[in-house]
Amino acid sequence: MEWYQALALLLGMVFTLMMLGMPVALAFLGANLVGAFIFMGGERGIGQLINNGFGAMTNFALVPIPLFLLMGELFFHTGLATRVFNGVDRLLGKLPARLSYVTVGGGTAFATLSGSSMGSTALLGSLMLPEMMKRGYSKVMAIGPILGTGGLAIIIPPSALAVLLATFARIDVGSLLLAGVIPGIILAGFYAALIYTLARINPDSAPAYEVVAMPWGDRIKLFISELMPMVAVVVLVITVMVTGWATPTEAAAFGCFGVVVLAAIYRCLTVSAFVTACRGALKVTLMSFLIIFGSSTFSQLLAFSGASSGFIGWATSMEAGPYTMLLIMFMILLILGMFMDQLSMLLLTVPIFFPLAAQLGFDPIWFGLIVLLALEISFTTPPFGLLLFVMKGVAPPGTTMREIYIAGFPFIACILLLVLLLVAFPGIALFLPNLGH
């Protein structure tokens, strides 16, 4: 069987099973079993494939995933996330468009820890959107920052999706996490500048309203008591990885411990909150590990059938340059994101894209960060980006999809600008990983 026939057969089975309504992980497992029977010698091949899949799941590099997820669940269910939102809100005082800044700052903190852009969008849409609409904020200033926080959450560590991507692509987890720090800060700056500019151009888009003025002494006290402890946990998690004092697994465990200690200090660590957090983290972890099982075996099938090497050979034989190929891969991710979730996209593209990127001479850590940003942009790409429909579900009655598209576009443009900046200056992403080594 030719490589393109093998590739079409394997991908075709996955898409067919997904269109029939089968869960993503099970669709990949079904396609893998049929593929192993065809390409790896019947029942013996199936047995070998299953053994390889279990071997992939017993990888020490996967341990940060449940720990980061538990960290985010504890942060939310204990009420620490709400304290951060309220603290940032009070700290900003009379700053124009302050609720937009609160959404970006507090939302990024939550989404980074939760590892779920869809969950973050649903939470922020329910928590912040009604308040902003009540205050007379325009759709762009209210909905746009909520859609924009996902781009920050996906690259600023600790990011569970970054750990999954590094595992799928077999690149260093710590390096990929560190690569997102400086670009994440730059993207936050872009968002702040965008909100400031929009508020200056049209002050009515974020009407000012009276708030109780806080003396500077009270602001400092509020920052120290409400914000600094939570910020310190994330900063310390990043610092111990940058300095090499701890592995990503140890840093994740430290982060979990830090959130538990903070919740205990603030007297919001209840048995109910802890059990709910553990249950939520367990559900996502089991799903993630089942998907990892399907991913690793799918990658092996692509390699064993010759589909990977055939596709790479065909792609590299084209006269298109490396950056043209990068643009093609980027556009494929944007299109897939219109109708697939991020994990499914990783399963389909990582086994093909990363070997191709290596052939094109791209640094795997840098390329991984580009892929992460493409995944997030694809979630808000009209007309079918999944986050657009999540936002539609939580937006006030009467909000049209067109209004959501328009609100999200300026923030998507900020992420695209960051991607161009990373392509022009790869050192922005590679500085901290190289420092860590």
Side-chain angles (χ1 to χ4, degrees), residues 2-285:
E2 296 292 334
W3 70 266
Y4 51 86
Q5 294 173 320
L7 183 64
L9 175 64
L10 291 171
L11 293 179
M13 284 191 292
V14 171
F15 280 119
T16 301
L17 292 173
M18 288 173 62
M19 289 173 65
L20 292 173
M22 187 174 288
V24 174
L26 297 182
F28 273 94
L29 287 176
N32 289 342
L33 291 175
V34 175
F37 191 86
I38 295 173
F39 296 112
M40 298 179 70
E43 294 181 8
R44 188 174 298 176
I46 292 174
Q48 181 60 46
L49 198 71
I50 291 173
N51 288 334
N52 292 345
F54 280 113
M57 288 199 304
T58 56
N59 187 346
F60 185 70
L62 295 177
V63 178
I65 294 173
L67 291 173
F68 281 145
L69 290 172
L70 179 59
M71 185 177 171
E73 292 285 331
L74 286 168
F75 186 69
F76 174 61
H77 290 291
T78 58
L80 291 175
T82 305
R83 297 182 78 101
V84 170
F85 278 111
N86 293 338
V88 173
D89 185 27
R90 292 169 60 197
L91 202 62
L92 292 178
K94 295 184 179 180
L95 182 71
R98 68 190 181 93
L99 290 180
S100 297
Y101 292 110
V102 170
T103 300
V104 171
T108 300
F110 170 73
T112 300
L113 295 172
S114 71
S116 170
S117 295
M118 295 182 72
S120 171
T121 300
L123 172 74
L124 291 171
S126 304
L127 185 67
M128 299 297 298
L129 193 55
E131 182 66 20
M132 286 193 280
M133 299 306 293
K134 186 173 74 175
R135 300 287 183 183
Y137 278 55
S138 69
K139 294 289 195 330
V140 172
M141 295 296 275
I143 294 174
I146 296 175
L147 293 173
T149 56
L152 278 169
I154 205 169
I155 60 174
I156 293 180
S159 167
L161 191 66
V163 176
L164 277 173
L165 173 60
T167 304
F168 292 164
R170 298 179 183 177
I171 59 180
D172 185 68
V173 174
S175 294
L176 184 57
L177 288 171
L178 292 176
V181 175
I182 296 176
I185 294 171
I186 293 173
L187 185 57
F190 285 167
Y191 285 170
L194 175 62
I195 293 169
Y196 176 81
T197 303
L198 292 175
R200 287 295 299 270
I201 292 173
N202 182 14
D204 291 337
S205 65
Y209 56 92
E210 284 301 315
V211 293
V212 178
M214 288 183 66
W216 277 103
D218 290 346
R219 291 191 183 191
I220 294 171
K221 189 184 299 181
L222 175 67
F223 177 77
I224 293 174
S225 63
E226 298 291 327
L227 299 180
M228 194 168 74
M230 269 65 94
V231 172
V233 171
V234 177
V235 170
L236 285 173
V237 167
I238 297 171
T239 301
V240 295
M241 286 193 293
V242 172
T243 56
W245 293 345
T247 63
T249 301
E250 292 163 344
F254 174 80
C256 271
F257 178 72
V259 173
V260 169
V261 169
L262 286 179
I265 292 172
Y266 287 111
R267 297 182 180 179
C268 52
L269 182 64
T270 63
V271 173
S272 173
F274 188 78
V275 170
T276 305
C278 289
R279 187 182 291 121
L282 181 61
K283 285 180 181 178
V284 181
T285 299

Side-chain angles (χ1 to χ4, degrees), residues 117-118 121 143-144 146-148 150-151 191 329-342 345 370-391 401-413 415-416 419:
S117 295
M118 295 182 72
T121 300
I143 294 174
I146 296 175
L147 293 173
Y191 285 170
M329 289 188 280
F330 197 86
M331 294 304 298
I332 289 173
L333 289 170
L334 295 190
I335 294 169
L336 288 177
M338 293 181 186
F339 57 91
M340 295 180 70
D341 64 90
Q342 292 164 322
M345 291 162 64
I370 297 292
V371 169
L372 284 174
L373 289 169
L375 290 176
E376 194 54 47
I377 295 172
S378 70
F379 250 30
T380 49
T381 304
F384 303 118
L386 294 180
L387 284 188
L388 300 174
F389 291 96
V390 173
M391 179 56 66
M401 289 303 296
R402 182 175 180 275
E403 288 175 325
I404 295 174
Y405 297 158
I406 293 172
F409 180 75
F411 292 85
I412 294 174
I415 304 177
L416 288 172
V419 171

Side-chain angles (χ1 to χ4, degrees), residues 323 326 366 370 418-426:
Y323 290 102
L326 177 66
W366 173 85
I370 297 292
L418 176 63
V419 171
L420 292 175
L421 200 61
L422 291 174
V423 171
F425 306 102

